[in-house]
Amino acid sequence: MSSLSRELVFLILQFLDEEKFKDTVHKLEKESGFFFNMRYFEDCVTNGEWDDVENYLSGFTKVDDNRYSMKIFFEIRKQKYLEALDKQDHAKAVDILVKDLKTFSTFNEELFKEITFLLTLGNFRENEQLSKYGDTKTARGIMLLELKKLIEANPLFRDKLQFPTLKNSRLRTLINQSLNWQHQLCKNPRPNPDIKTLFTDHTCGQPNGSRAPSPVTSPLMGSIPKVGGFPPLGAHGPFQPVPSPAPALAPAPLTPSLAGWMTNPASVPHQTVSAGPLGLTVPSNAASMLKHPRTPPTSNLALDYQTADSEHMLKRSRAFGISDEANNMPVNVLPVSYPGQSHTHTLYSSNDLPKTVVVKLAQGSAVKSMDFHPMQHTLLLVGTNIGDIAIWEVGGGEKLVLKNFKVWDLGSCSVTLQASLANEYTASVNRVAWTPDGSICGVAYSKHIVHIYSYYGGDDLRNHLEIEAHSGNVSDLAFSQPIKQLWIITCGEDKTIKVWDVVTGSKQYTFEGHEAPVYSVCPHYKESIQFIFSTAIDGKIKAWLYDNLGSRVDYDAPGHSCTTMAYSSDGTRLFSCGTNKEGESHIVEWNESEGAVKRTYHGLGKRSVGVVQFDTTKNRFLVAGDEFLIKFWDMDNISLLMSTDADGGLPASPCVRFNKEGILLAVSTNENGIKILANADGVRLVRLIESRAHDASRSASGTVAKGAVIGTYGASSSAAGTSIGDRSATVPAIVGLNGDSRSMPDVKPRILDDSDKSKVWKLTEINEPSQLHSLRLPDTLLAVRIIRLIYTNSGSAILVLTYNAVHKLWKWQRNERNPTGKACTSVSPQLWQPSSGILMTNDISETNLEDAVPCFALSKNDSYVMSASGGKISLFNMMTFKTMTTFMPPPPSATFLAFHPQDNNIIAIGMEDSSIHIYNVRVDEVKSKLKGHQKKVTGLAFSNVLNVLVSSGADAQLCVWSMDAWEKQASKFLQIPTGRVPAPNTQTRVQFHQNQIHVLVVHETQIAIYEASRLELLKQWVPREASSSITDAMYSCDSQSIFVSFEDGSINVFTAATVRLRCRVNPSAYLPSNPSMRVYPLVVAAHPSEPNQFAVGLTDGGVHVLEPLESEGRWGTLPPVENGTAGPSPTSAPASSADQQQR
């Protein structure tokens, strides 16, 4: 089906939904397979309509398609079975067992026996794992949460969970436009055309009025307009059509509607057609919009290899595509439901709210603002009334960072600010906030200035920018990325909103129009439109686009209150909370279609002290601090859901802040402190971190996911394990390595132990196997040296590529000894192979393996690997090991592969002929060829923050390329140490730091850190002995350490910030003694969520996983800080002689 035909199906779906043909809608969804309606699916599951559930699913997947599908059907049928048992309907239970569940016995016979055994019990709750099974409604709700996770992770549902962004009645609008065009072609067009049918083309009658009568009178047609053009076919929404729209280039009038300008401000109605709401236009490109109407984006399912496992789909066309996976952009991409559809949300209960006080933090001064780190979910940024900022590891109750108020460059400040500081050198923090990736944070002060810090993890917070943003109080700040640069938005007492470049500090926009000091800002992204809401202390709310055309919306907050605004997590629902001068507080949800309050929540006090603060979580709950309490609401219910005093000691209007997962809630206290409240998942997370920090016992981590697992199917990973017991939540994601385009789930926070700081520092030498945990992975295949090595994104498997072009995959299973199912040294993994026994083997026909530079890249969902070993590039299915396709036969051969971080259809391919191909896999076309290297390209790394691609080659040269035009921005050759002559084809590799600004460069003669945009050398470390060449190096997942392997078999661990050696693992500690065989690591890989775990691939074909002892907790101790700084110095210099002697 062509892309336009596919779009037509979506338009028909929208039309059927608007006309309330519900059954037909869902039949078309199923038969087309283009859109999986999660809300309809939820309703069927909640109502126990199991036949409808499976019938609807059958349009998208089958039981044996993949492990996700298998678990989806298993969970549904298991629930049917348990409900029949609960009703004591044994005949029905036996029928379900034989007809529905029997099919799973071939995959896991023991599990099927366990399920069958439940028939013999008087009450299946006698089974330990089912003892917590509650009532049917609760059980269905819990199952539904699991099903949604599985569906979202299933590649077959990729690109099918979001409905395209469409204006209301889009099909009707297109018909109107067609009629209008037909009318313009009439030889004698009438001013008031009479349309009575759509079955034939329209023509106006002759001037004398003679014309053939139309046989059909269409009920779709509205009243005839007074002048020119056709009436709309129907009006669906709060706006009534107007007979004469404004001229295309006329200034945009104000509208009280949010939707009027948000839905599509750049689109302009046809001059003689009135269709839908009259919104604001963008004059700068209005004319071009008339010439080039925009259509919603679409993807070709037949060319999308990540949306189907069937190979025949790829055989239809030479081209293939890669579906867009989890969005890495700092702004939200909003899911779009059918217009008129009610909001879809996951089922939660009040038990999911964090209500248990688990940690108390003593800040020391009154807390004014808090923000949890978006990726390290237990890191809390705090600002106080005396200007202090702090970063807390709430799990261990440890204050990692404390900075007192200080103006960094007083001489550059305005005279007004200098005078204010001379009178009183202090300022209160009004707002603290993280960027979406957590690499930068901002602080707004009560006196003129904003501070921007770069965060490198742990206790490493560095000054980045100081901006004198406003005259007087800076009330609020927020980060946004409307274009590819990261911006910070501020507002203040001078009644303005300003937009600044985070990297340079240059001002981009100033928005003026408020008549009172601006109190808050709320940037957002919707349907490709970036905008900012602002609120003032007089209760006025305005909205702005990133232009100089003034505010687009101007209306009053409820009660003319001093208000803050916030969206739900998925960006689809808008809320505000505020307090007016009389102390009346209002918390409301807005109807964006009408620009009016949709619902007002009850329960706030009538005499609030200060402005009530609020927050949202899980697309379901609201929280506010009011009347010495924490108050919760269900977003869909105006009545107060519950409240808690958090064991007392709260101020009248406490600050409140959820973490991203909604499992922790921070609240300020009267005693200048903070309490951390948690739900069951949050309690487990906090206890886990406490045990890691203080217990020094591996068994402590096993309590996190307590509860035996009866069994899993096949080679199930942590993402799709199957159990008939409780579906206990896994520990949520904590940090990601942003320099890598892969997702980074479940990173555990770094706990710093400062107890030994007073001792004399000494390099940690590990010489004996008893000094570390090491595991050699079991291997029954031919042992061939390891050329490439990587952890899967889930952290539960290791994939390698050997010299003879064969891939090997080891998977860890979830069990009592390893409840997380992640890679570890305490449990051996399984060398996994499909039942077919085939191996993933690259094309090596007519390839000289000695000259080849093997390379591979893994998809973000771990389902596919793209790989080459000197021949064609191959695409493999990681579940079946089947070759999905091959492309790009040499010459030249591929030498490095990297997925574009924002579009998985774009791949950067380093080539043997020194070029870089920017290749679009969907259309099978090389979009750009980059030329700048002199030898083969051996390394590529993307940066979202800088919007660049950094490349490295065998010529020891680095190049920086713009991702917009693919133009070279900078290049530099490495500084090769005196006396060192590298081999002719020595590989140079690159990897971005978590901040995506600094890049690690690895060469056999050195490791170095550069500032990527200018290629400024910040730090360099050179081995002292020329014989000890570096073979590979990599950042740890939190970018705090660098793991470096050497030809002498040793592995060094460096502190990344200073490139100081802190631990050396000698070969005697992990390699068997064999004088006749020289074995050493060729490649090293860091675990994606365990900062202290890494793996090495050896010349003898072995793979070892290494971890420090629990009693140590990490690799060595931090070296002492040099010259008062722990960060990279601005000068480029080799490592100190002391460091070199340690080698």
Side-chain angles (χ1 to χ4, degrees), residues 25-26 29 34-46 53 56-57 60 72 143-154 157-158 160-163 335-338 341-347:
V25 167
H26 303 316
E29 289 167 351
F34 291 161
F35 174 64
F36 184 83
N37 190 326
M38 187 67 79
R39 180 54 184 268
Y40 170 69
F41 179 75
E42 285 181 1
D43 290 343
C44 290
V45 171
T46 302
V53 169
Y56 189 67
L57 277 172
F60 302 88
I72 289 168
M143 179 190 66
L144 189 56
L145 296 180
E146 181 77 5
L147 292 179
K148 290 191 68 176
K149 292 177 183 178
L150 291 168
I151 289 170
E152 290 167 358
N154 194 329
F157 290 84
R158 203 73 66 184
K160 299 181 182 181
L161 299 178
Q162 293 184 1
F163 199 79
V336 179
S337 59
Y338 291 157
Q341 228 178 1
S342 59
H343 179 72
T344 301
H345 61 255
T346 308
L347 297 179

Side-chain angles (χ1 to χ4, degrees), residues 1121-1127:
V1121 175
E1122 289 183 326
N1123 301 325
T1125 176

Side-chain angles (χ1 to χ4, degrees), residues 218-410:
S218 171
L220 296 175
M221 305 306 294
S223 60
I224 297 173
K226 295 182 179 180
V227 290
F230 292 103
L233 293 176
H236 292 264
F239 298 93
Q240 294 304 314
V242 296
S244 180
L249 299 179
L254 286 174
T255 172
S257 163
L258 304 176
W261 60 275
M262 256 196 294
T263 49
N264 198 346
S267 64
V268 179
H270 196 288
Q271 192 166 353
T272 57
V273 176
S274 173
L278 173 64
L280 296 182
T281 63
V282 179
S284 62
N285 64 354
S288 66
M289 285 297 166
L290 287 170
K291 297 176 182 177
H292 305 286
R294 292 162 60 174
T295 57
T298 185
S299 59
N300 188 341
L301 292 186
L303 304 181
D304 193 338
Y305 73 72
Q306 289 202 20
T307 59
D309 285 333
S310 57
E311 296 175 62
H312 74 273
M313 299 186 73
L314 289 168
K315 295 177 181 177
R316 297 178 187 172
S317 169
R318 179 172 175 240
F320 63 94
I322 300 175
S323 67
D324 297 330
E325 300 179 89
N327 180 29
N328 290 327
M329 294 293 289
V331 293
N332 292 329
V333 175
L334 305 177
V336 179
S337 59
Y338 291 157
Q341 228 178 1
S342 59
H343 179 72
T344 301
H345 61 255
T346 308
L347 297 179
Y348 292 101
S349 71
S350 59
N351 293 330
D352 294 297
L353 291 170
K355 297 172 289 188
T356 304
V357 177
V358 290
V359 177
K360 297 179 181 179
L361 309 175
Q363 176 60 46
S365 50
V367 174
K368 299 289 288 183
S369 178
M370 300 180 288
D371 196 21
F372 275 100
H373 195 280
M375 304 179 76
Q376 300 185 50
H377 294 174
T378 57
L379 288 189
L380 180 65
L381 176 64
V382 179
T384 77
N385 67 330
I386 62 172
D388 291 349
I389 63 167
I391 297 178
W392 288 87
E393 169 49 74
V394 301
E398 180 181 7
K399 188 185 293 183
L400 302 178
V401 175
L402 175 63
K403 287 185 178 289
N404 305 120
F405 174 73
K406 180 181 180 181
V407 177
W408 301 344
D409 187 0
L410 188 59

Side-chain angles (χ1 to χ4, degrees), residues 171-173 175-176 179 198 218-222 231-236 274:
L171 186 58
R172 298 172 182 272
T173 301
I175 294 173
N176 266 335
L179 294 173
L198 299 177
S218 171
L220 296 175
M221 305 306 294
L233 293 176
H236 292 264
S274 173

Side-chain angles (χ1 to χ4, degrees), residues 1026-1042:
S1027 60
S1028 299
S1029 295
I1030 295 171
T1031 60
D1032 199 14
M1034 190 175 189
Y1035 275 122
S1036 61
C1037 65
D1038 60 0
S1039 296
Q1040 298 302 295
S1041 303
I1042 304 173

Side-chain angles (χ1 to χ4, degrees), residues 34-231:
F34 291 161
F35 174 64
F36 184 83
N37 190 326
M38 187 67 79
R39 180 54 184 268
Y40 170 69
F41 179 75
E42 285 181 1
D43 290 343
C44 290
V45 171
T46 302
N47 296 328
E49 298 165 352
W50 305 120
D51 290 342
D52 291 342
V53 169
E54 291 211 20
N55 181 52
Y56 189 67
L57 277 172
S58 68
F60 302 88
T61 185
K62 297 180 179 61
V63 174
D64 57 355
D65 278 344
N66 57 41
R67 68 178 186 270
Y68 299 102
S69 299
M70 184 178 293
K71 183 161 169 53
I72 289 168
F73 281 97
F74 174 77
E75 291 293 336
I76 292 168
R77 294 175 183 182
K78 184 184 75 176
Q79 183 63 29
K80 286 169 55 180
Y81 178 67
L82 294 178
E83 288 184 15
L85 290 177
D86 206 24
K87 295 176 182 177
Q88 301 298 314
D89 190 345
H90 282 69
K92 184 176 180 180
V94 170
D95 187 61
I96 295 170
L97 186 68
V98 174
K99 292 182 179 179
D100 295 336
L101 291 171
K102 179 68 174 178
T103 185
F104 300 104
S105 63
T106 57
F107 301 97
N108 194 320
E109 188 174 356
E110 290 301 317
L111 179 58
F112 182 72
K113 289 179 180 178
E114 189 81 13
I115 294 174
T116 305
F117 179 73
L118 297 178
L119 283 168
T120 66
L121 302 177
N123 185 337
F124 63 79
R125 293 173 180 80
E126 296 173 19
N127 182 293
E128 181 181 355
Q129 296 181 57
L130 296 171
S131 59
K132 295 182 181 179
Y133 184 95
D135 59 89
T136 298
K137 181 179 179 181
T138 302
R140 288 176 183 174
I142 294 172
M143 179 190 66
L144 189 56
L145 296 180
E146 181 77 5
L147 292 179
K148 290 191 68 176
K149 292 177 183 178
L150 291 168
I151 289 170
E152 290 167 358
N154 194 329
L156 297 181
F157 290 84
R158 203 73 66 184
D159 291 337
K160 299 181 182 181
L161 299 178
Q162 293 184 1
F163 199 79
T165 303
L166 302 176
K167 277 190 171 182
N168 287 352
S169 306
R170 177 62 180 162
L171 186 58
R172 298 172 182 272
T173 301
L174 292 176
I175 294 173
N176 266 335
Q177 292 171 349
S178 172
L179 294 173
N180 186 75
W181 179 251
Q182 293 173 29
H183 182 57
Q184 289 185 4
L185 296 178
C186 289
K187 292 182 180 179
N188 301 290
R190 291 188 170 194
N192 298 307
D194 183 14
I195 304 300
K196 295 184 178 180
T197 181
L198 299 177
F199 292 165
T200 58
D201 288 347
H202 161 73
T203 57
C204 288
Q206 298 299 320
N208 60 11
S210 61
R211 58 178 175 175
S214 179
V216 178
T217 301
S218 171
L220 296 175
M221 305 306 294
S223 60
I224 297 173
K226 295 182 179 180
V227 290
F230 292 103

